[in-house]
Amino acid sequence: MIDTARALDAGDPLAEFRGRFDLPEGVVYLDGNSLGALPRATRERVSQVVDAEWGRDLIRSWNSADWIGMPQRIGAKIAPLIGAQPHEVIACDSVSVNLSKLIGAALQMRPGRNVVLSEPGNFPTDLYMVQGSPAAQRLAARDKIVDALDDDVALLMLTHVHYKTGEMFDMAALTKAAHDAGALVLWDLSHSGGAVPVDLNACNADLAVGCGYKYLNGGPGAPAYAFVAERHHDALHNPISGWMGHAAPFAFSDEYEPAAGVSRLLAGTPPVLAMAALECGVDLMAEIGIEPLVAKSRALSEFFRAAMAEHCPQLECVSPADAPMRGSQLSYRHKDAYALCQVLIARGVIGDFRDPDILRFGFAPAYVSYEDAAKAVNALAEILENDEWDAPQFKKRAAVT
Ligand SMILES: Cc1ncc(COP(=O)(O)O)c(C=O)c1O
Ligand SMILES: Nc1ccccc1C(=O)C[C@H](N)C(=O)O
């Protein structure tokens, strides 16, 4: 299997990009769907921002280094990865906060309706944000969502690629169904952006959010992004109406007047150091381009899936077998998934565990090699064969999984 993997790496058009990341020796990293790897350019760029832009130029850098334009500039670079126009995307805040803003905005755009429809088991923060909003939450299983759309639904809010199983929704079909019922749609692209094909405008999507620290490699806690279709710009009301989203922040007026376009989604001052790191990750993904990323993601995850079926048949794959129907990840069910994950990590193969019984592997296409995939399958096969995970030290849960 290793030889086949090496041959595939030799023919991989993205192989050269692995060297653009700073990956630790001896580690197989299959968790880029939770925290993307460190692009080499980021270290230098962040020190430049610290030393020259902050340390030397101080407050002048808001203008001279265009710190003030970072949210729009980075948003515009993310746009082609998700099928948006440059002025429809802005980089800011966390996914959670952007969800809150867009849920509030959607409720205002659909007066007389107060339901946000989603699925049980959606990423928790998505549901919590509805629960903390004035909306009423309605949950319907994935195959019953269309039936649950009625005149009360203001917003259909779904995560495009499910964080646990990697299942992907049909964005075009569900967006159309929501529109037919008079509702708006908000897509969470956290596990999609930079890894799977997304064409928000071809699907006629209204609103979207996504994560900066997964496949965009923006760094731990990187700012997220938000999309608003151009046709909604004028009607969009941001419930977190902060000064950075004002039409003229430096007029210091007492009255809030929203900026034009997605800029009104800004609330407070952008975190410049985190934005600089995010920009490096986004630049690298933009340089590679979404099509090669998708092609590699599918081929690599397919290689892993076939190898797992052959060498670890006792693990049940819960992700769709058909690569275009899933995200850039594969998830397996095992009653001792947590312990298996810990033993793998101890052997330098980093995947993750999702409660209660899921072992999850992410295939960040920009830097994961076929050899990585083969090594991970070999390690897992050995662990299973030797019952290595069945020891108490591997079963104690850490605070963060
Ligand atoms: C689908 C999804 N939505 C939202 C989040 C949370 O984003 P944030 O921590 O930026 O609020 C995550 C993971 O962190 C996620 O996987
Ligand atoms: N933000 C984190 C902080 C710590 C550990 C994990 C995360 C994740 O992002 C988890 C991810 N959203 C997931 O799909 O499980």
Side-chain angles (χ1 to χ4, degrees):
M1 179 171 41
I2 292 282
D3 291 341
T4 316
R6 288 189 180 140
L8 288 165
D9 282 329
D12 174 12
L14 296 198
E16 57 165 309
F17 287 101
R18 183 179 171 89
R20 303 277 288 277
F21 291 86
D22 202 345
L23 294 164
E25 265 313 301
V27 166
V28 169
Y29 193 60
L30 303 182
D31 213 0
N33 50 332
S34 200
L35 174 63
L38 169 65
R40 288 189 190 278
T42 305
R43 186 176 284 118
E44 199 180 323
R45 171 74 184 128
V46 171
S47 3
Q48 180 196 18
V49 176
V50 170
D51 295 339
E53 297 182 9
W54 177 15
R56 185 193 64 209
D57 298 340
L58 290 162
I59 199 159
R60 292 169 289 186
S61 288
W62 284 105
N63 291 312
S64 60
D66 195 25
W67 286 351
I68 198 71
M70 284 176 132
Q72 293 84 355
R73 183 170 84 227
I74 300 171
K77 291 177 179 183
I78 294 171
L81 298 170
I82 55 174
Q85 302 182 76
H87 61 283
E88 292 175 316
V89 184
I90 191 134
C92 57
D93 299 312
S94 59
V95 176
S96 304
V97 171
N98 287 331
L99 283 167
S100 171
K101 291 185 283 193
L102 292 181
I103 290 166
L107 289 173
Q108 285 237 345
M109 285 195 271
R110 286 293 177 273
R113 296 174 175 233
N114 76 332
V115 169
V116 176
L117 174 62
S118 193
E119 65 161 335
N122 192 355
F123 192 80
T125 209
D126 298 54
L127 301 181
Y128 301 162
M129 285 300 154
V130 179
Q131 291 162 27
S133 81
Q137 175 179 270
R138 181 183 297 170
L139 302 179
R142 354 187 91 212
D143 55 340
K144 299 281 187 301
I145 286 170
V146 174
D147 303 334
L149 285 162
D150 63 20
D151 289 355
D152 293 327
V153 178
L155 178 69
L156 173 61
M157 181 197 74
L158 295 171
T159 297
H160 182 225
V161 169
H162 196 274
Y163 76 104
K164 229 183 240 188
T165 64
E167 285 167 279
M168 190 190 287
F169 276 116
D170 182 338
M171 184 182 282
L174 280 154
T175 302
K176 179 166 188 317
H179 288 171
D180 288 348
L184 295 166
V185 186
L186 165 50
W187 289 102
D188 183 338
L189 303 177
S190 291
H191 289 269
S192 307
V196 304
V198 177
D199 201 340
L200 289 168
N201 280 328
C203 295
N204 215 13
D206 302 292
L207 309 166
V209 295
C211 187
Y213 52 75
K214 301 182 193 297
Y215 296 106
L216 297 184
N217 307 302
Y225 57 91
F227 158 89
V228 179
E230 186 184 62
R231 64 183 178 282
H232 295 307
H233 283 187
D234 291 343
L236 188 85
H237 170 74
N238 179 1
I240 306 181
S241 43
W243 76 303
M244 282 286 162
H246 192 279
F250 293 89
F252 298 103
S253 152
D254 282 355
E255 297 308 317
Y256 179 72
E257 185 196 328
V262 280
S263 295
R264 71 182 56 178
L265 279 184
L266 294 178
T269 307
V272 170
L273 300 181
M275 285 288 205
L278 172 64
E279 188 163 24
C280 293
V282 170
D283 279 340
L284 191 44
M285 294 304 102
E287 181 186 338
I288 304 174
I290 192 65
E291 280 172 21
L293 288 167
V294 169
K296 166 84 180 283
S297 153
R298 288 180 179 168
L300 178 64
S301 64
E302 210 34 47
F303 172 79
F304 185 90
R305 200 183 66 84
M308 282 288 286
E310 188 181 340
H311 299 280
C312 304
Q314 56 277 63
L315 287 183
E316 176 203 353
C317 184
V318 298
S319 304
D322 191 11
M325 304 296 284
R326 63 175 185 246
S328 197
Q329 71 177 68
L330 285 165
S331 299
Y332 293 85
R333 183 167 284 137
H334 189 283
K335 69 175 177 43
D336 286 326
Y338 183 77
L340 280 174
C341 184
Q342 295 311 304
V343 185
L344 272 172
I345 292 172
R347 283 175 167 241
V349 177
I350 304 182
D352 64 22
F353 159 80
R354 284 293 167 262
D355 203 56
D357 55 2
I358 298 293
L359 189 53
R360 187 175 72 155
F361 299 104
F363 302 93
Y367 54 82
V368 177
S369 66
Y370 291 89
E371 187 170 338
D372 284 336
K375 283 181 177 161
V377 175
N378 277 340
L380 197 46
E382 272 179 39
I383 292 166
L384 287 165
E385 196 181 333
N386 302 328
D387 285 352
E388 267 176 64
W389 78 92
D390 210 4
Q393 77 266 29
F394 296 124
K395 296 191 175 171
K396 192 176 170 306
R397 298 266 179 107
V400 175
T401 59

